[in-house]
Amino acid sequence: MAGDQRADVAAVGATVTGAVGATVPMSVGYVNNGPARAGDSGQQGLAVPTTVTLPAGVTAVTVSTYCVDPTDDEWRPGKPGARLYECSAPGGIARGERVGFDFRLRIDRAGSQTGSVALRTRSGGGPIADLNPANDTARLLVNPNAPTTPGGNGNGGGGAGDGGSLPITGAPLGLIAALGALLITAGLGGLLLTRRPDPRP
């Protein structure tokens, strides 16, 4: 068949939100933008090994059985508790189809956190670039709208229990306003006294 029959696979990230201690679902993976099939093994196929890197402030309590911890000496698909996972789905997918790897994450730390999803496309035993390598990575966001806190304490950088409020310096604003009003009143009174007509004949 004429033309370039490779595929463009694009990483699919995720955004999850939850309170500290909550367990939330997450699905990441990739989509095939075509035109050819993707995920098939063999010399002519485009296999799509997927690396999932979790933020340090979450724990994977449930993991897809298509994912393993590459740092583990044993082959244990679906092992919980790792920070890094290598995922591979069996079989291929046609244009427009998606592969998803399902996790459940426990949120252990407050604040915004970021992980990643990265594709390493290959054909047979060697690497191969798909049609658009620029979309082979995506972000995994945990509570993206929460303030990012130095040290991970989640309180917006303020002192303990202060809700992140700014310190008050100098005289209180209410006292300054009251003194200002008093001075204005005294000034007006002095002006009226000086302009009152002399009642003496």
Side-chain angles (χ1 to χ4, degrees), residues 64-150:
S64 168
T65 55
Y66 296 121
C67 301
V68 298
D69 175 4
T71 66
D72 196 349
D73 293 335
E74 299 181 30
W75 182 263
R76 292 188 286 175
K79 167 195 168 185
R83 189 68 53 218
L84 182 69
Y85 287 95
E86 294 285 349
C87 306
S88 296
I93 57 172
R95 178 179 182 177
E97 293 182 334
R98 172 180 169 174
V99 168
F101 304 108
D102 296 332
F103 293 74
R104 288 184 65 81
L105 305 180
R106 186 184 69 229
I107 299 176
D108 300 324
R109 181 187 302 171
S112 177
Q113 305 174 61
T114 304
S116 65
V117 180
L119 311 180
R120 295 182 297 104
T121 55
R122 60 181 176 81
S123 179
I128 185 173
D130 67 356
L131 291 180
N132 183 15
N135 61 16
D136 287 354
T137 59
R139 294 193 298 173
L140 192 172
L141 303 176
V142 178
N143 290 329
N145 296 323
T148 301
T149 305

